[in-house]
């Protein structure tokens, strides 16, 4: 009997471990990867420091416990707003476990952010202090808990994220089992995302733990993500694409996550963290390739330089002798930290010519696709 598409898919690809929900994902990875680095982040001083899987899990269980202590239930909506950071990621998994997480774009206007918070009936907001300063006047007369992802000089104005973590850790040290007692239904809504998609007006997309976990297991079956991988998080984490692939998939696989200092510093960050995987939009890859092409052509021996300044780089590269192509590949790879080998494109279709040229340079490029509302 002929197998259908689903049956054929299940019998092919890499073996994956089953996860029931996001809590199960974090706990399994903490048990399997323990002392391995889950995050490598930069302190205000500029120094790099590591956060292990065990430490990440401890912070996660403590924060979730504190949220329950402050009244969070499975129906409590908790907004998370800010730049990509360890604190954003920690807030997200705490919120999605204790209640319903509502990721919101930090680039929206104050009125739009406040409207989404109120439309979602959020009881708490975890956000960068700069975002809280913008929206606090509009929320001053509400009983919404405001939690800053950075320590604020005005301690009476906002709760500090790590104060909640310490509060939860203390309760757990005294035997509190609220975290273990949470009953997660993987099929009900636990993620509420406001997205305009392709239709213009924003709408609330309702996702479950099972939606997210199914995507992670499906991708892992098709793409081998090793525990030695180090990903640079570039795209906004409030998007399901980046949150799933650039955060939760990496934690599931035992890899390490770092965050960019900004688009101007991407090349520097590749070298700072020795990145092996990047998830990007096509425009970024085209910009990277343009810079690489300019640098390579500039340093070619005179007899190999193209006469036409606008010559196609792919054609120029193909025309080079084998040993020079090999040297170019090594030099380009070393200029990007020495480990980069995989680029995953999302949000739009990549130009096939760009993909082919990057492949010639030794960078495998995969086209990702997934409508948030279809996960």
């Amino acid at each position: 009997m002929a197998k259908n598409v689903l049956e054929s898919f299940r019998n092919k690809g890499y073996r994956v471990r089953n996860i029931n929900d996001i809590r199960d994902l974090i706990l399994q990875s903490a048990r399997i990867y323990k002392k391995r680095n889950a995050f490598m982040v930069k302190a205000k001083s500029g120094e790099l420091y590591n956060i292990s899987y065990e430490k990440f899990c401890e912070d996660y269980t403590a924060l979730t416990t504190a949220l329950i202590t402050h009244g969070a239930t499975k129906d409590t909506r908790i907004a998370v707003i800010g730049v990509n950071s360890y604190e954003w990621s920690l807030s997200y998994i705490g919120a999605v476990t204790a209640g319903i997480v509502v990721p919101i774009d930090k680039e929206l206007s104050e009125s739009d952010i406040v409207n989404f918070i109120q439309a979602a009936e959020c009881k708490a907001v975890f956000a960068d202090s700069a975002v809280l300063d913008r929206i606090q006047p509009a929320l001053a007369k509400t009983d919404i808990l405001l939690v800053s992802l950075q320590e604020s000089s005005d301690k009476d104005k906002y709760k500090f994220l790590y104060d909640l973590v310490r509060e939860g850790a203390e309760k757990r040290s005294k035997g509190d089992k609220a975290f273990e007692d949470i009953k997660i239904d993987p099929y009900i809504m636990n993620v509420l995302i406001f997205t305009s998609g392709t239709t213009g007006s924003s709408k609330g997309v309702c996702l479950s733990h099972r939606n997210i976990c199914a995507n992670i297991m499906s991708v892992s079956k098709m793409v081998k993500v090793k525990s030695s991988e180090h990903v640079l998080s570039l795209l906004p984490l409030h998007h399901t694409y980046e949150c799933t692939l650039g955060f939760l998939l990496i934690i599931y696989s035992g890899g390490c996550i770092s965050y960019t200092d900004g688009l101007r510093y991407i090349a520097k960050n590749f070298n700072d963290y020795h990145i092996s995987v990047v998830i990007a939009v096509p425009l970024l890859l085209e910009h990277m390739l343009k810079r690489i092409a300019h640098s390579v052509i500039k340093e070619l021996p005179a007899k190999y330089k193209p006469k036409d300044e606008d010559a196609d780089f792919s054609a120029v590269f193909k025309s080079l002798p084998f040993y020079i192509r090999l040297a170019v590949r090594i030099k380009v790879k070393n200029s990007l930290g020495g480990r980069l080998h995989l680029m995953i494109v999302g949000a739009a279709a990549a130009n096939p010519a760009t993909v082919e040229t990057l492949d010639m340079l030794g960078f495998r490029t995969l086209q990702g696709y997934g409508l948030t509302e279809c996960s």
Side-chain angles (χ1 to χ4, degrees):
M1 182 182 294
K3 295 179 179 179
N4 62 33
V5 174
L6 179 59
E7 289 171 336
S8 298
F9 174 71
R10 283 175 171 165
N11 291 323
K12 293 181 181 179
Y14 301 102
R15 294 183 62 183
V16 299
R17 73 177 196 271
N18 187 63
I19 47 175
N20 298 315
D21 51 61
I22 294 173
R23 176 177 62 179
D24 188 31
L25 183 162
I26 305 297
L27 295 180
Q28 282 192 35
S29 290
R31 185 174 64 253
I32 295 168
Y33 303 112
K34 297 180 181 178
K35 302 294 183 183
R36 290 189 66 89
N37 295 333
F39 299 87
M40 181 184 290
V41 294
K42 193 173 289 185
K44 285 183 179 180
S45 62
E47 293 182 12
L48 301 180
Y49 67 95
N50 300 317
I51 299 168
S52 70
Y53 274 83
E54 284 184 336
K55 173 60 176 171
F56 179 42
C57 189
E58 288 172 7
D59 287 350
Y60 162 54
T61 55
L63 176 60
T64 308
T65 299
L67 286 172
I68 296 169
T69 300
H70 282 267
T73 68
K74 63 183 179 65
D75 297 318
T76 301
R77 281 84 183 282
I78 302 169
V80 180
I81 317 166
V83 299
N84 291 12
S85 65
Y86 173 71
E87 289 73 23
W88 191 103
S89 301
L90 179 61
S91 301
Y92 177 96
I93 59 170
V96 80
T97 304
I100 298 169
V101 67
V102 185
I104 297 176
D105 184 356
K106 66 178 177 59
E107 299 298 336
L108 294 173
S109 66
E110 290 89 338
S111 60
D112 281 343
I113 293 175
V114 170
N115 286 341
F116 286 153
I117 289 170
Q118 293 176 337
E121 300 179 345
C122 294
K123 299 299 183 184
V125 176
F126 285 68
D128 291 344
S129 54
V131 174
L132 291 178
D133 288 341
R134 288 165 53 203
I135 64 174
Q136 190 271 339
L139 300 175
K141 295 182 180 180
T142 70
D143 58 356
I144 296 174
L145 175 66
L146 301 180
V147 181
S148 176
L149 302 187
Q150 298 85 30
E151 192 162 17
S152 172
S153 56
D154 188 350
K155 295 184 181 296
D156 295 328
K157 202 171 184 181
Y158 314 124
K159 194 83 173 175
F160 178 40
L161 171 67
Y162 287 110
D163 285 341
L164 285 178
V165 172
R166 284 187 282 270
E167 183 182 318
E170 184 177 348
K171 293 189 75 66
R172 287 185 63 78
S173 69
K174 294 177 180 178
D176 191 303
K177 297 294 181 184
F179 174 83
E180 288 79 5
D181 293 339
I182 297 172
K183 298 291 189 295
I184 295 177
D185 182 344
Y187 294 97
I188 65 171
M189 180 187 73
N190 278 97
V191 183
L192 176 58
I193 301 169
F194 290 97
T195 176
S196 60
T198 54
T199 60
S201 58
S202 294
K203 63 190 81 67
V205 176
C206 305
L207 301 179
S208 68
H209 280 255
R210 188 62 187 171
N211 289 143
I212 304 296
C213 291
N215 280 350
I216 290 169
M217 289 186 287
S218 294
V219 171
S220 299
K221 197 170 181 67
M222 299 174 69
V223 182
K224 182 67 173 177
V225 181
K226 300 177 182 177
S227 59
S228 59
E229 303 293 11
H230 195 154
V231 67
L232 182 66
S233 182
L234 295 172
L235 305 181
L237 274 166
H238 71 271
H239 287 304
T240 306
Y241 192 87
E242 174 68 16
C243 189
T244 303
L245 295 188
F247 171 31
L248 296 174
L249 170 66
I250 303 304
I251 296 299
Y252 171 83
S253 305
C256 184
I257 300 167
S258 292
Y259 301 100
T260 183
D261 296 324
L263 294 179
R264 289 186 300 165
Y265 304 100
I266 290 175
K268 180 178 183 299
N269 292 154
F270 278 138
N271 285 281
D272 289 342
Y273 302 114
H274 300 289
I275 296 302
S276 63
V277 179
V278 65
I279 300 166
V281 293
L283 189 61
L284 177 61
L285 295 194
E286 289 166 14
H287 177 69
M288 283 178 58
L289 184 56
K290 190 176 292 185
R291 291 186 60 181
I292 289 170
H294 176 76
S295 177
V296 169
I297 291 174
K298 183 179 178 181
E299 296 183 22
L300 282 176
K303 66 178 181 178
Y304 296 120
K305 287 182 185 291
K307 294 179 181 179
D308 183 0
E309 291 184 0
D310 297 322
D312 177 54
F313 175 68
S314 176
V316 172
F317 185 80
K318 288 177 182 177
S319 70
L320 297 174
F322 170 76
Y323 63 93
I324 293 184
R325 293 202 303 269
L326 182 60
V328 167
R329 286 194 194 100
I330 294 172
K331 189 161 187 175
V332 169
K333 188 165 188 174
N334 288 340
S335 73
L336 295 172
R339 296 189 65 226
L340 184 64
H341 67 94
L342 177 61
M343 300 180 180
I344 302 175
V345 184
N351 185 330
T354 300
V355 173
E356 181 183 349
T357 306
L358 288 170
D359 185 62
M360 287 192 296
L361 290 169
F363 304 116
R364 185 186 183 202
T365 305
L366 301 179
Q367 176 68 60
Y369 179 83
L371 291 171
T372 295
E373 53 269 39
C374 293
S375 65

